[in-house]
Amino acid sequence: MEKWLIAAAVAVVLIIPAIAYRIRDRRACRRRYAASYGRFAEDAPTERQRAADAAYFKAVANTDTCVDDITASDLDIQRLYEHFNRAQTSAGREYVYAALRMPLYDAVRLAARDERATVFDRDAARRIATEMDMGAVGRLRGRSLHDALQNLRTDGRRAIWSHVVMLVLILAMTGLTIYDDRFGVLLLVAVGFNMTYYFFIRKHFTDPMCIFRYLMSMMVAMNRTYARNADLFPDYAETVRSVNRRLGNIRRFRFLISDGEGDLLSFLLVYINAIFHFDCIYFGRAIGRLRRYGEESAALFEYFGETELALSIASWRRAVPFWSRPDLSTVSADAQPQLEFTDMVHPLIETPVPNSLDVPGPLLITGSNASGKSTFLKAVLLNALTAQTIRTVTARRWAGSYFRILSSMAMRDSLATKESYFVVEVKSLYRITAADDTVPILAGVDEILRGTNTLERIAASAVILEELAKRRVLPVVATHDIELTGLLDGIYHNYHFREALQSGVISFDYRIHEGPSRTRNAIALLGEMGFAADITARADEMAARLAPQMHLGERRTDAGI
């Protein structure tokens, strides 16, 4: 009796601290999720992790409607993603990244994302519980789950007959040894052979089994979260049933697969598997079922993605200074696209200056250096993108068409293809002019054709921009070439950003104004940056001589606006 009491006491001593630690850990997680909610994410992924996050997008992207690599670079989508993303699973991370680059043209799907985010925002208990389930799954660091699942289904074929033979051999030797202990030597030989073979081939199984364990943990989390959030995912009811019906059997014996890390049982299970090869047999059969029902694992991936996308949207809306739901509409084939916004700001700037505009048609925006043209241009395109991906804009009001979004802004030489800046820029512009405009295009162009001489730049720019305006394209163009305001008068609507020079200090209001810019500030900026006064004076004199020939605007003076 005393032995049993001692054993019970030891068990209590070992179990109670483990339970206490688990309770403390869960409370810490809850506090962390609550504290980080409503703040910009502080994700700083490695280059390898960035490639993994983008893998799903590259596999499923529709080149006719998604945000292409040039536009993604111009708008700094990676930075948007890192500020926005709250996903904790690999499926969530990859899906969220893809969602930000794949605008929707379906009001129903956008409304569903909005509703989920709204509910998660209002119900903190539900939100935190869902995040804890996702956090328990975790992520594969530096690896793409989408690619890993593809490899698991295609390269995970493992012949199980050899492992079955070894299992039968061990069982037979065990039975013979029980019958006659002289067979014990043969049993030891069989055990040694099985273990040697197991550890020899284990390196080939380690990675696929790791992915498989991860997939099984996703299935457990799916059932927990769906039981709590079924009302938010009515369209996924059949998906959840199908995953459980077709893949549920392989989840039942997932405990057989162990990496030997963690508790004592996991460590012992490795050696049990080494003798009997239970995990190899089970894994081989499970992979066969995964190959047969690949659509279910893809549906599981999407469910996780939509769940963590909704959690990210809810937190993002709390983090930005203000937001609203966009009013989006589909325009007929013979109608021009529309856009109107009030107090729109760039979502990634800490202290943004709001701008309002009822876009009357193609826009040509001029203005001095650093006056806000490029930031405004990117703000328009980024808000158009978030309007169609997360149904959220950083504006008091946003009403417009559904757009395909393209840009040509921050071009650079390509060392890989040995192409000059100008060639890269021409190709970038051409893809906009050649793009299918069945869906209206919102095109952002910054400093068009800056890589060539002034005469040809202005002539070619005028013709290209005129052609864009003839199509179902809403061009928003920022330029220093004031000559274009006259050449495109009546086709483009002129707006500008302006500056003031007071006592040698240049300041900007960063607000858009109607009409073309009539001022210059480049030479003044030279002086402000430290160039000698005689250099800026000589530059002013030369500019004065050239201005009549080039129809340039006036240099900014202390008089201000």
Side-chain angles (χ1 to χ4, degrees):
M1 184 67 180
E2 291 181 0
K3 292 181 180 179
W4 286 107
L5 289 174
I6 293 172
V10 171
V12 169
V13 169
L14 293 175
I15 292 173
I16 290 180
I19 294 174
Y21 176 81
R22 182 173 177 81
I23 293 173
R24 186 180 64 180
D25 186 56
R26 288 181 64 83
R27 286 177 177 173
C29 286
R30 288 180 181 277
R31 288 194 297 269
R32 185 171 68 251
Y33 292 137
S36 64
Y37 183 71
R39 298 181 180 180
F40 289 126
E42 297 179 354
D43 195 9
T46 63
E47 286 302 316
R48 184 179 177 187
Q49 184 63 55
R50 287 181 176 182
D53 292 342
Y56 175 69
F57 168 76
K58 291 181 179 179
V60 302
N62 182 338
T63 55
D64 290 334
T65 57
C66 71
V67 174
D68 63 20
D69 289 343
I70 293 175
T71 304
S73 177
D74 289 342
L75 302 183
D76 204 354
I77 298 298
Q78 182 64 40
R79 182 165 165 249
L80 173 67
Y81 166 72
E82 291 170 12
H83 276 65
F84 171 83
N85 177 46
R86 195 175 170 83
Q88 300 177 83
T89 69
S90 291
R93 291 180 66 91
E94 294 180 51
Y95 192 92
V96 168
Y97 179 86
L100 290 177
R101 290 188 60 174
M102 297 173 65
L104 297 179
Y105 304 89
D106 182 348
V108 175
R109 288 190 64 190
L110 283 170
R113 287 180 178 178
D114 175 40
E115 180 185 4
R116 293 170 197 142
T118 301
V119 171
F120 280 136
D121 182 63
R122 291 174 179 170
D123 191 341
R126 181 194 288 210
R127 181 185 72 244
I128 292 174
T130 302
E131 287 191 302
M132 290 188 69
D133 287 335
M134 297 298 175
V137 175
R139 63 178 162 122
L140 304 168
R141 296 192 178 273
R143 300 189 57 191
S144 162
L145 177 62
H146 176 268
D147 290 352
L149 288 177
Q150 292 294 107
N151 293 335
L152 194 64
R153 290 196 292 265
T154 57
D155 300 332
R157 299 180 178 88
R158 304 290 175 186
I160 64 172
W161 65 266
S162 60
H163 304 290
V164 173
V165 169
M166 291 180 185
L167 173 61
V168 171
L169 178 64
I170 284 290
L171 294 177
M173 289 298 101
T174 301
L176 289 172
T177 301
I178 294 172
Y179 174 75
D180 187 341
D181 58 10
R182 287 179 296 177
F183 286 99
V185 175
L186 292 179
L187 175 60
L188 291 175
V189 171
V191 168
F193 178 77
N194 277 18
M195 293 183 71
T196 301
Y197 182 71
Y198 179 84
F199 286 114
F200 176 75
I201 66 166
R202 181 177 168 80
K203 60 185 178 182
H204 301 296
F205 279 86
T206 300
D207 187 65
M209 284 184 176
C210 173
I211 302 302
F212 183 76
R213 282 198 307 273
Y214 188 85
L215 184 62
M216 294 301 98
S217 68
M218 287 178 63
M219 289 182 63
V220 173
M222 175 197 71
N223 287 315
R224 287 178 179 171
T225 58
Y226 189 76
R228 186 184 307 112
N229 302 317
D231 57 321
L232 301 181
F233 295 91
D235 295 341
Y236 286 82
E238 181 55 36
T239 295
V240 173
R241 282 194 295 268
S242 180
V243 169
N244 283 317
R245 184 173 64 251
R246 293 178 170 174
L247 301 181
N249 288 335
I250 64 177
R251 191 186 69 202
R252 206 167 292 162
F253 299 100
R254 67 185 185 278
F255 68 89
L256 289 174
I257 295 180
S258 172
D259 58 4
E261 298 178 358
D263 55 21
L264 179 62
L265 180 59
S266 297
F267 178 77
L268 292 176
L269 192 56
V270 170
Y271 287 91
I272 294 172
N273 283 327
I275 297 171
F276 297 101
H277 291 221
F278 288 140
D279 58 344
C280 296
I281 296 170
Y282 163 66
F283 182 65
R285 292 178 61 84
I287 291 301
R289 186 168 284 265
L290 277 177
R291 287 201 301 270
R292 194 156 58 247
Y293 300 117
E295 291 182 1
E296 273 61 34
S297 58
L300 180 63
F301 191 102
E302 182 178 326
Y303 169 77
F304 268 73
E306 285 290 343
T307 300
E308 296 202 272
L309 177 61
L311 291 167
S312 297
I313 294 171
S315 182
W316 171 264
R317 288 175 171 177
R318 291 278 184 173
V320 294
F322 54 84
W323 67 277
S324 66
R325 293 178 178 86
D327 180 11
L328 300 173
S329 59
T330 303
V331 296
S332 60
D334 57 347
Q336 288 300 309
Q338 305 295 318
L339 181 59
E340 178 184 355
F341 47 82
T342 303
D343 290 342
M344 177 212 65
V345 298
H346 193 295
L348 300 179
I349 293 179
E350 290 187 8
T351 55
V353 176
N355 276 287
S356 303
L357 189 63
D358 182 354
V359 181
L363 290 184
L364 188 64
I365 304 171
T366 49
S368 304
N369 299 285
S371 59
K373 303 186 302 299
S374 298
T375 299
F376 174 83
L377 189 60
K378 293 176 182 179
V380 172
L381 269 64
L382 273 174
N383 276 283
L385 177 62
T386 58
Q388 292 176 224
T389 53
I390 60 175
R391 206 187 179 198
T392 305
V393 290
T394 47
R396 303 291 183 190
R397 179 175 179 273
W398 179 284
S401 309
Y402 286 98
F403 286 108
R404 179 182 178 186
I405 300 163
L406 291 169
S407 70
S408 180
M409 297 183 189
M411 298 296 102
R412 56 180 62 88
D413 296 350
S414 174
L415 296 177
T417 59
K418 298 180 181 179
E419 292 177 332
S420 69
Y421 178 98
F422 183 69
V423 171
V424 172
E425 186 178 19
V426 168
K427 287 185 176 181
S428 175
L429 283 169
Y430 177 75
R431 88 187 201 289
I432 298 177
T433 63
D436 181 5
D437 61 355
T438 303
V439 175
I441 297 172
L442 179 62
V445 181
D446 192 13
E447 299 301 340
I448 183 170
L449 297 179
R450 75 182 88 177
T452 190
N453 64 81
T454 303
L455 177 63
E456 290 184 295
R457 179 177 69 249
I458 292 173
S461 297
V463 174
I464 291 171
L465 294 178
E466 185 177 351
E467 288 301 310
L468 278 180
K470 293 177 181 178
R471 306 179 68 224
R472 294 187 78 206
V473 178
L474 183 58
V476 183
V477 183
T479 181
H480 282 102
D481 292 325
I482 298 174
E483 295 85 350
L484 291 175
T485 61
L487 293 172
L488 296 173
D489 189 32
I491 302 173
Y492 279 70
H493 301 268
N494 285 300
Y495 285 82
H496 71 278
F497 285 81
R498 59 176 68 155
E499 80 289 343
L501 183 61
Q502 297 290 343
S503 302
V505 177
I506 297 176
S507 61
F508 306 95
D509 64 2
Y510 301 113
R511 295 189 181 276
I512 194 165
H513 303 273
E514 193 169 1
S517 174
R518 299 299 182 189
T519 64
R520 297 176 284 111
N521 73 352
I523 297 175
L525 278 174
L526 292 179
E528 191 170 320
M529 293 296 105
F531 277 86
D534 67 310
I535 293 178
T536 58
R538 283 156 51 201
D540 271 332
E541 292 175 4
M542 185 171 290
R545 292 199 303 270
L546 293 174
Q549 305 171 37
M550 304 180 68
H551 305 288
L552 297 176
E554 299 174 358
R555 184 194 186 283
R556 173 59 55 206
T557 67
D558 283 355
I561 302 300

